[in-house]
Amino acid sequence: MAGHAKFLAVYDAPFWREQGLSGDLLSARGPLAEMHDATPNSGSPYALLGFIGLNGEARKKLSHEELSDRCLEHLCEMMGPPAANPTSTHLFDWSEEEFTAAPADVANANHHPEYGVVVPTSDPWNDKMQFIVTETAAENGGLIEGAISQGLCFAEFVLKQLGIEIKPIPNLSPCTPHQASMSWDWI
């Protein structure tokens, strides 16, 4: 997350749902690159949460208040006037976090980074510790699909250690990330 920033807008009512909208937005222009309905299952508070598409260098030229205002303007362009009246907004920029981001993280890459990190372990941890995170996924690293894939592989490992017979994990490499995350029927 080192080069990213997120924006959250909280509302009294889910106006987007009342308009028949999902709350999922993608944009190639404006400060918001994507937004999602982040309302909890309990029903409130109603919220839209997403990633800011400006890189860290561009974000540094704006105050948090200016960037939040631009994000709200962008939401209004995409969802109409009700987006202009959140009860609160929150902006978090990981590139400003000393222990999260390095100077090189400020300029976002123009491609998805390669993952598949192999974390070597040594005695006494050999064969006793595994890292089950999206960054260790050879495919879809950095994405929820990579995390799911790693979790499924670890579940298979544990079940085999316990002597529980399972169906093999299907080869998910030729499919899209969405298909990969929906292929849980092997369990």
Side-chain angles (χ1 to χ4, degrees), residues 15-184:
F15 69 86
W16 56 95
R17 293 178 185 172
E18 294 163 2
Q19 297 173 12
L21 302 173
S22 68
D24 291 330
L25 308 165
L26 297 174
S27 178
R29 60 174 245 16
L32 298 173
E34 67 179 82
M35 292 293 284
H36 304 281
D37 187 332
T39 303
N41 288 336
S42 64
S44 69
Y46 305 101
L48 295 169
L49 171 71
F51 288 96
I52 295 174
L54 304 174
N55 69 29
E57 291 170 347
R59 293 192 306 265
K60 280 186 177 195
K61 294 177 184 175
L62 302 168
S63 69
H64 278 220
E65 184 177 342
E66 290 170 318
L67 185 52
S68 291
D69 289 346
R70 290 190 184 181
C71 287
L72 278 179
E73 290 170 11
H74 196 189
L75 273 177
C76 289
E77 289 175 17
M78 294 187 288
M79 302 186 85
N85 300 307
T87 57
S88 63
T89 61
H90 308 274
L91 188 136
F92 190 83
D93 190 338
W94 279 275
S95 72
E96 297 173 351
E97 295 296 308
E98 176 183 6
F99 298 111
T100 300
D105 293 320
V106 175
N108 291 346
N110 59 2
H111 64 283
H112 190 73
E114 290 186 27
Y115 287 92
V117 176
V118 176
V119 182
T121 57
S122 59
D123 285 331
W125 299 109
N126 279 343
D127 301 323
K128 293 178 181 71
M129 179 187 295
Q130 293 190 27
F131 294 88
I132 305 107
V133 295
T134 187
E135 290 78 10
T136 60
E139 295 186 23
N140 298 313
L143 303 171
I144 189 67
E145 294 82 6
I148 291 169
S149 174
Q150 291 303 93
L152 292 173
C153 288
F154 185 68
E156 181 182 41
F157 170 79
V158 169
L159 293 172
K160 283 182 180 177
Q161 295 295 313
L162 295 173
I164 299 172
E165 191 173 324
I166 59 169
K167 298 178 193 175
I169 296 176
N171 179 3
L172 303 177
S173 60
C175 63
T176 66
H178 176 72
Q179 291 167 326
S181 67
M182 301 311 289
S183 298
W184 300 17

